[in-house]
Amino acid sequence: MNHSTLYTILSVSILLPILLLAACNDKTTVSTTNTESSTHKTITSTPTDAWIGKWNGPEGTFIDISGANGNYIITIHDLDGPKQYQGTNKDNQISFDRNGTTEIIQASNGADTGMKWLPDKSNCLRVRVGEGWCRD
């Protein structure tokens, strides 16, 4: 036997089992690694966000605050009907412009609203004495 034949026999004897094993394996296993890219959202909340929603006053009046993160749409429904304003958080109060005047919505209790219908309430908002709304 010459070297060339011996080399061929050795190559075939080494490669043949590898090729046969590969051919017998009819399943392909694919390994994947899922890397979940997470998006971190920064949610900024201000104390005035807790005021979002409807607050009731006497005789069907109310204030309704919507929005979030210190930017609000304020609907004040008084005896003349509803009016909307844009408001922003300022020093844990909501500031808004009404008829050229800067107004401030602040936390209050019923007695401090100055309204005779609300003195026993504790969770209230007011703009000024005589203009207030409560949740409890």
Side-chain angles (χ1 to χ4, degrees):
M1 221 185 268
N2 66 25
H3 287 277
S4 170
T5 306
L6 185 61
Y7 180 75
T8 304
I9 292 173
L10 283 175
S11 296
V12 170
S13 65
I14 293 173
L15 290 176
L16 187 60
I18 295 171
L19 292 173
L20 287 173
L21 283 174
C24 289
N25 188 4
D26 60 347
K27 293 183 180 179
T28 305
T29 304
V30 176
S31 175
T32 59
T33 305
N34 288 334
T35 31
E36 205 174 295
S37 68
S38 60
T39 304
H40 296 283
K41 293 180 182 179
T42 303
I43 298 173
T44 308
S45 180
T46 63
T48 51
D49 282 359
W51 299 351
I52 292 171
K54 187 175 179 180
W55 299 71
N56 295 310
E59 300 178 5
T61 63
F62 64 84
I63 186 170
D64 188 21
I65 302 171
S66 60
N69 301 324
N71 293 299
Y72 308 101
I73 297 172
I74 302 155
T75 302
I76 297 177
H77 190 284
D78 58 19
L79 297 177
D80 295 327
K83 296 169 193 76
Q84 275 196 341
Y85 308 95
Q86 297 289 323
T88 56
N89 176 14
K90 183 178 180 189
D91 300 324
N92 296 325
Q93 300 174 335
I94 297 175
S95 174
F96 68 100
D97 183 66
R98 177 168 55 183
N99 303 324
T101 302
T102 300
E103 303 278 10
I104 302 292
I105 300 170
Q106 57 189 298
S108 181
N109 60 40
D112 289 343
T113 67
M115 301 179 78
K116 66 180 181 178
W117 303 274
L118 306 175
D120 60 332
K121 306 291 184 179
S122 60
N123 186 17
C124 304
L125 298 176
R126 74 174 189 158
V127 172
R128 59 172 70 102
V129 173
E131 186 177 23
W133 311 269
C134 298
R135 280 200 170 149
D136 59 359

